[in-house]
Amino acid sequence: MEAPRPDILPWLAEALAKQRAGNLGGALLAYRRVLSRDPAIPDAWSNLASVLHTLGRHEEAHEAVQEALRLAPANPAALVTLGGVLAALGRPGAALEAYREALTQDPGNLAATANLAGVLARLGRLDEALEADRAALALAPANPEVRLNLGYTLMRMGRLDEAEAAFLAALAADPGLAKARWNLAYLRLLQGRYREAWPDFRARLDVPQGLDNLRSFQEPAWDGAPFPGRTLLVWAEQGLGDTLQFARYLPLARARGGTVLFQTYACLRGVLGDLPGADRIVTEAEDLPPFDLQAPLLDLPALFGSTPADLPPPAPLGPPPGHPATPELQAFREGPGRRAGLVWAGSAQHLDDARRSLDPALLAPLGAAPGVRWASLQVGGPPPPPLPGLVDLGRTFRDFSDTAAALATLDLLVTVDTSVAHLAGSMGVPTRLLLPFFPDWRWGMTGEACPWYPSVRLLRQPEPGAWAPAIARILEDLR
């Protein structure tokens, strides 16, 4: 591999300086300028790919890093970037290959070792992930990010005390490490230690991955104090299920002040109806009217000091009055026997979708339940399970109003952890919620009772990947 021409070196140095300073837009332009003058510089292609990856432009990043590796196949740094890009594109198996090739070329590469552990954890191969985390720790025992990653793997294994110690060690090395604060809060929430968790919970806003609607406002953040005569904007910063779940806090906010403006997603507008505590609802596509204070929705439980013992009741959600039933729903509603619905997959864009969603074929034993007619409320995802007479209602859904209308006809919903579970729980629909071994924090690590929704029963994997025992419990209940 030839060194860059001398006249190119200042341009390359400028691009690298901008990248290290976090000026990603400037770095992007600078690397493109370098490559327009000399397109045969593999490091420029690799660094360009890294910038594009950080900006979320993963397809472009993939093309750039492939060009870097075409020019210089022996390039561990480019292989690490390739691994990150492939993971972001939903190809974790290919990402593993890239990281392992990087380690073949450079066995002591810290980034490849740490990222290998992360992908293994995402795939549920936790014993291998822990081994890789410990290898990374041996390479960099003082690195807070390595401690953080170790804690994350231990947390997913259910080894919560060890995970907490790792997060605290990461914060001792770097008190400003937002990911460590967020994971520490997550772990404590998972254990039901809500009051201990809330001080660190806001760190989630400094870890933007997975936040669907992160906003920035000049207006001051609300601190929970009374605000008579003023307007508070409460905005939905996360996903659809989070929005449905935490809308219950709006009446508490309204009781402390003047006007509450709630910004949410257009597809939820119908089921929110005349939401208690919201003087006005606007969608993310609408212009906001003037307001004086603002708070992301998930700040509210911390501001009110919630614990599992004193959660406010769910928001009263449902289909809009007079919402028309489709012919398919009408026919399902009028048939004989018990009516049960199924949802087996969440959004494929969710970072942990592989863990929370299941192969619909695993639901086939439910077909043996006597006197039960099954309907799919699934929108998208893999094909339905082989249940006799299964009615596909999900294909007729246009928004959550249609989903709510279908839920209102059910005697039981069986679902994985997705937004439909929150809508059903808010509507009081009897629900069996299938949870992975390591669940989302709001469900806790143990128990069947759900403090957020009295009508929901939590059915858990006894070990990672083991859905059959939970499905067998449902069949037992239905017999």
Side-chain angles (χ1 to χ4, degrees):
M1 181 174 63
E2 296 182 4
R5 302 195 318 255
D7 61 304
I8 296 292
L9 291 175
W11 301 100
L12 198 56
E14 177 193 356
L16 186 58
K18 288 180 176 179
Q19 182 180 3
R20 288 174 174 168
N23 179 4
L24 299 183
L28 187 65
L29 291 173
Y31 282 125
R32 292 201 185 282
R33 183 165 52 186
V34 167
L35 291 167
S36 70
R37 288 163 171 77
D38 185 352
I41 304 175
D43 286 348
W45 283 109
S46 180
N47 291 347
L48 173 64
S50 180
V51 170
L52 289 165
H53 176 46
T54 305
L55 290 169
R57 295 162 60 173
H58 306 305
E59 294 286 358
E60 294 173 77
H62 190 225
E63 293 179 7
V65 75
Q66 283 183 313
E67 181 62 16
L69 289 165
R70 186 189 68 79
L71 292 166
N75 191 335
L79 286 164
V80 169
T81 298
L82 175 62
V85 170
L86 290 168
L89 289 171
R91 299 171 57 189
L96 285 183
E97 294 180 12
Y99 291 137
R100 285 181 169 142
E101 177 58 26
L103 289 169
T104 298
Q105 296 181 12
D106 180 11
N109 190 297
L110 176 61
T113 306
N115 291 350
L116 176 70
V119 174
L120 287 166
R122 180 174 168 184
L123 290 170
R125 295 161 60 175
L126 299 177
D127 290 336
E128 296 173 77
L130 184 60
E131 182 181 351
D133 280 319
R134 287 178 169 156
L137 189 63
L139 292 169
N143 188 306
E145 292 275 0
V146 170
R147 294 277 181 185
L148 166 64
N149 294 342
L150 172 65
Y152 183 68
T153 300
L154 289 165
M155 183 167 65
R156 292 185 64 143
M157 297 176 82
R159 296 164 62 170
L160 301 187
D161 291 343
E162 294 173 81
E164 184 169 11
F167 295 145
L168 290 171
L171 286 169
D174 182 0
L177 186 57
K179 287 183 181 179
R181 291 204 174 278
W182 164 232
N183 277 279
L184 182 63
Y186 194 103
L187 181 148
R188 289 172 172 170
L189 289 167
L190 191 63
Q191 293 177 313
R193 297 157 60 188
Y194 283 19
R195 284 183 177 155
E196 289 178 77
W198 295 136
D200 291 315
F201 187 62
R202 212 168 194 274
R204 74 192 185 282
L205 300 176
D206 298 317
V207 185
Q209 296 90 343
L211 294 186
D212 296 329
N213 192 33
L214 192 60
R215 308 286 295 274
S216 177
F217 297 102
Q218 293 181 340
E219 290 79 3
W222 184 48
D223 61 2
F227 57 100
R230 293 188 289 173
T231 297
L232 168 67
L233 168 69
V234 178
W235 49 280
E237 96 259 17
Q238 298 202 32
L240 302 173
D242 300 281
T243 304
L244 297 171
Q245 179 181 2
F246 292 98
R248 69 184 69 208
Y249 283 93
L250 293 172
L252 299 182
R254 181 67 180 80
R256 292 194 177 178
T259 300
V260 172
L261 178 66
F262 183 43
Q263 177 269 324
T264 185
Y265 302 98
C267 63
L268 298 181
R269 183 64 186 88
V271 299
L272 293 173
D274 296 324
L275 189 63
D279 294 285
R280 180 177 171 186
I281 298 176
V282 296
T283 70
E284 79 278 16
E286 297 177 75
D287 292 333
L288 289 169
F291 56 93
D292 305 295
L293 302 164
Q294 54 84 22
L297 179 60
L298 269 68
D299 269 11
L300 299 189
L303 291 172
F304 294 113
S306 285
T307 73
D310 59 12
L311 299 172
L317 309 181
H323 186 76
T326 63
E328 294 87 349
L329 178 58
Q330 189 65 32
F332 180 71
R333 177 187 296 161
E334 295 173 352
R338 292 175 291 177
R339 297 182 294 271
L342 286 175
V343 178
W344 53 85
S347 168
Q349 279 68 52
H350 191 283
L351 293 176
D352 259 341
D353 187 60
R355 179 172 55 86
R356 65 173 185 163
S357 296
L358 57 78
D359 179 351
L362 296 173
L363 297 168
L366 296 179
V372 177
R373 292 185 299 115
W374 293 95
S376 164
L377 275 64
Q378 180 71 42
V379 176
L387 293 179
L390 179 71
V391 177
D392 188 357
L393 296 178
R395 66 182 178 81
T396 69
F397 293 169
R398 296 159 298 177
D399 61 19
F400 275 75
S401 296
D402 293 327
T403 307
L407 287 170
T409 71
L410 297 183
D411 299 301
L412 178 71
L413 172 70
V414 175
T415 181
V416 295
D417 181 9
T418 187
S419 54
V420 179
H422 294 281
L423 182 56
S426 297
M427 294 174 60
V429 177
T431 299
R432 300 296 181 266
L433 178 55
L434 296 164
L435 294 177
F437 176 78
F438 175 63
D440 192 272
W441 67 264
R442 69 204 78 207
W443 313 122
M445 281 295 289
T446 60
E448 289 192 359
C450 176
W452 295 96
Y453 304 107
S455 67
V456 173
R457 184 186 298 177
L458 308 174
L459 300 181
R460 304 172 185 274
Q461 289 180 344
E463 58 186 44
W467 290 114
I471 294 168
R473 280 287 311 280
I474 297 168
L475 183 56
E476 180 183 333
D477 289 346
L478 288 171
R479 281 179 165 160

